[in-house]
Amino acid sequence: MATIYINPEVSGTGSGTLNDPYRSWASVTWTAGNSYLQKRGTSFAGQIAPSTSGTLGNPIEIGAYGDGARPIVGVGAQDGLYLAARQYINVADLELSGNTRHGAYIRTSGSNITTINVRRCVSRNNANNGFFLDGVVLTATLSNVLFEDCESYDNGEHGYDCLGIVQTVSWKRCIAARNGTRVLGHGFSIHPFLSNNITSGWTATGVGTSYSRTLSASETVQKAINRTDGVTLTKNVGAGTGVSANQWDQSGTTLYINVGTNPNGKTMAWKRATHGPFYYEDCVSYENSTAAGAGEGHGFAADDMTSDATYENCHGYDNEGAGLQCQWSDNVTHRNCSAVRNALSGFRTTGHTNGLVVDRCISASNVEHGFFYDQPHSGVQVRNSIAHRNGGYGLISSVAGVTAANNLTFGNASGATASVTNASGVTSDPLFVDPSKPWLGLKPGSPCQSAGAYIQGAKDRFGRRYLNPPNIGPWAILPRA
């Protein structure tokens, strides 16, 4: 095991020692167990691209040495950090800036890869994503990735993007800001690899109204949806051509569906493999999708059949979309989160979503609604949360499948609720310490105190255990400001 040093400002090519560092990352010979460090305060116009992986006991370490600002990597390269089919790598204390594609591009390239940790890195001013996890090759899995204390801002697309067969990813204390400078961009985006939105190519099976198509050998369908009619199809294992209306089945490489009529002309999509779980803790996302006409740039987006995502103590504000968005997804939890001053609803759920839990959250001063749900859902719960002075309703659901209890709604322009009953709800002023900054907490005497629904093991966002019943909202009563 050795430590290799790189200083782009030296005059010679160097030998990689502390006293005679390499001038270029291209001079490096990659070996498992070694550490590779660029001098702080320097800038390298090129790419870091390890030619081999670390191992379980001997990971590759990439980082910085000396004093001063983080070393900059990229500056016109395609990607600042490029990990293709590489694993057991730890990256720390780099700035990935000015790249023509991504700041950091981590991809399977057809091989299973695991255990990549990225800590205290900044990715900014890149043409596409700040940090991009790419698992679109269906025969491989990207797993066990950690982002900790990272920042991603002023990128052309998303701050952090997670696509395809990606499993067990965590973001802890990360920031995303002002992304979407070129196209639509979310702060944090996750979505599995779907089929394209298919509108043709289905063949009648001759049995009722069932239709079929041939898939690639590596596609294992997890979920199928009829986007046109807003319906998630139910799997009927072994039914084959006999699938009934709003059902699907797969046999080998053949996908069978039945939407009650000819699906050609309708928009169909399916999830092609399992991905998740995902965990966000203490993350902040603001002012995303600033490009003119870029569309809905959300703070946090769990889109296109995401499954098993948990957002804990996360905050989305001043985004051009929603603070926290969920679309066609399953088993998503928003706990102790806040969404403030977003251009759409604070918490927004579209497409059929199953098993969404919103618990002890705040949605305040958003242009549209506090909590918004459309299209048929199942198992969606909103409880112990606050909707305060939003431009629409505090809580609105245009469909069945949403239950609400022990939420406080106050000062919302269109009213407290629409098409949903808020059982044991509160409609008085929550008494924020500062209504313009609701995350600062509540004054003594707040009606939120002990007005929540009983939750086993309930804690506030600082990890302090509540007495049950808990307070409404994520924060304990604070001393008078």
Side-chain angles (χ1 to χ4, degrees):
M1 299 180 188
T3 299
I4 310 301
Y5 297 91
I6 299 93
N7 180 355
E9 295 183 350
V10 299
S11 57
T13 57
S15 60
T17 65
L18 179 60
N19 294 325
D20 186 28
Y22 286 129
R23 185 172 60 193
S24 172
W25 282 92
S27 300
V28 163
T29 298
W30 295 94
T31 303
N34 280 0
S35 296
Y36 300 86
L37 309 178
Q38 181 175 327
K39 187 176 182 179
R40 287 180 175 274
T42 65
S43 179
F44 175 68
Q47 184 180 77
I48 298 176
S51 59
T52 191
S53 295
T55 64
L56 178 60
N58 293 290
I60 288 174
E61 305 282 345
I62 300 173
Y65 75 96
D67 299 320
R70 294 179 181 88
I72 298 172
V73 178
V75 197
Q78 188 171 41
D79 308 294
L81 174 68
Y82 182 62
L83 304 180
R86 304 289 176 253
Q87 59 186 347
Y88 297 108
I89 294 177
N90 299 322
V91 183
D93 302 309
L94 299 180
E95 180 178 315
L96 309 166
S97 178
N99 295 286
T100 61
R101 191 164 59 179
H102 312 295
Y105 187 14
I106 303 170
R107 58 183 304 205
T108 57
S109 293
S111 299
N112 291 334
I113 62 175
T114 186
T115 315
I116 296 172
N117 300 303
V118 183
R119 294 182 170 92
R120 301 181 303 279
C121 289
V122 172
S123 190
R124 65 182 181 90
N125 296 327
N126 300 292
N128 293 341
N129 300 302
F131 298 94
F132 183 31
L133 300 182
D134 181 356
V136 299
V137 178
L138 295 177
T139 55
T141 299
L142 171 57
S143 64
N144 296 313
V145 180
L146 169 67
F147 294 96
E148 188 173 75
D149 298 308
C150 293
E151 301 175 20
S152 187
Y153 56 93
D154 296 327
N155 296 292
E157 196 170 353
H158 307 302
Y160 305 79
D161 191 19
C162 187
L163 173 67
I165 310 178
V166 181
Q167 299 174 356
T168 314
V169 185
S170 297
W171 294 260
K172 296 183 178 181
R173 300 180 302 278
C174 292
I175 298 172
R178 301 185 303 274
N179 297 290
T181 61
R182 186 178 60 83
V183 296
L184 182 151
H186 308 314
F188 296 83
S189 176
I190 49 176
H191 46 116
F193 189 48
L194 302 177
S195 66
N196 293 323
N197 290 324
I198 302 298
T199 58
S200 62
W202 296 97
T203 301
T205 66
V207 180
T209 53
S210 68
Y211 284 71
S212 68
R213 70 183 306 115
T214 301
L215 306 177
S216 66
S218 55
E219 287 185 85
T220 301
V221 176
Q222 306 291 312
K223 182 177 181 179
I225 58 177
N226 174 357
R227 287 184 180 268
T228 298
D229 300 323
V231 176
T232 297
L233 308 185
T234 301
K235 186 174 185 180
N236 187 345
V237 179
T241 59
V243 289
S244 300
N246 294 328
Q247 291 184 347
W248 69 277
D249 188 27
Q250 181 179 4
S251 177
T253 59
T254 303
L255 175 63
Y256 300 96
I257 66 167
N258 188 332
V259 296
T261 186
N262 187 341
N264 291 297
K266 294 182 179 290
T267 300
M268 306 297 298
W270 51 92
K271 184 175 177 180
R272 302 173 72 178
T274 300
H275 80 155
F278 305 98
Y279 185 66
Y280 296 84
E281 178 183 356
D282 293 316
C283 294
V284 177
S285 187
Y286 62 93
E287 297 178 10
N288 293 289
S289 193
T290 55
E296 302 172 357
H298 309 304
F300 300 86
D303 285 343
D304 296 332
M305 305 190 210
T306 291
S307 58
D308 300 311
T310 298
Y311 300 81
E312 184 105 30
N313 305 337
C314 292
H315 182 41
Y317 66 93
D318 293 333
N319 296 289
E320 289 191 3
L324 290 95
Q325 155 92 354
C326 185
Q327 181 186 54
W328 296 101
S329 298
D330 300 317
N331 303 320
V332 176
T333 298
H334 297 147
R335 183 184 300 116
N336 295 344
C337 296
S338 62
V340 180
R341 297 190 307 268
N342 297 287
L344 296 180
S345 298
F347 292 76
R348 182 173 184 259
T349 302
T350 64
H352 181 96
T353 293
N354 177 63
L356 170 67
V357 176
V358 179
D359 183 24
R360 291 166 281 166
C361 293
I362 291 178
S363 187
S365 303
N366 298 289
V367 173
E368 295 186 353
H369 311 292
F371 300 90
F372 171 76
Y373 305 92
D374 76 345
Q375 298 194 5
H377 302 300
S378 60
V380 174
Q381 304 176 57
V382 185
R383 64 194 184 199
N384 301 335
S385 296
I386 299 173
H388 182 261
R389 297 193 183 282
N390 296 287
Y393 288 97
L395 173 62
I396 179 171
S397 175
S398 60
V399 294
V402 178
T403 60
N406 298 80
N407 300 294
L408 183 147
T409 56
F410 178 78
N412 299 287
S414 299
T417 62
S419 303
V420 63
T421 299
N422 180 25
S424 302
V426 178
T427 56
S428 52
D429 190 335
L431 299 180
F432 290 126
V433 169
D434 182 349
S436 69
K437 300 176 181 178
W439 55 85
L440 293 181
L442 304 164
K443 294 179 180 178
S446 169
C448 298
Q449 190 169 19
S450 301
Y454 178 87
I455 303 173
Q456 185 69 35
K459 296 180 180 179
D460 69 13
R461 72 177 304 272
F462 303 108
R464 300 174 297 198
R465 187 176 296 278
Y466 278 132
L467 296 175
N468 265 315
N471 294 342
I472 293 175
W475 296 283
I477 306 299
L478 298 181
R480 186 176 300 277

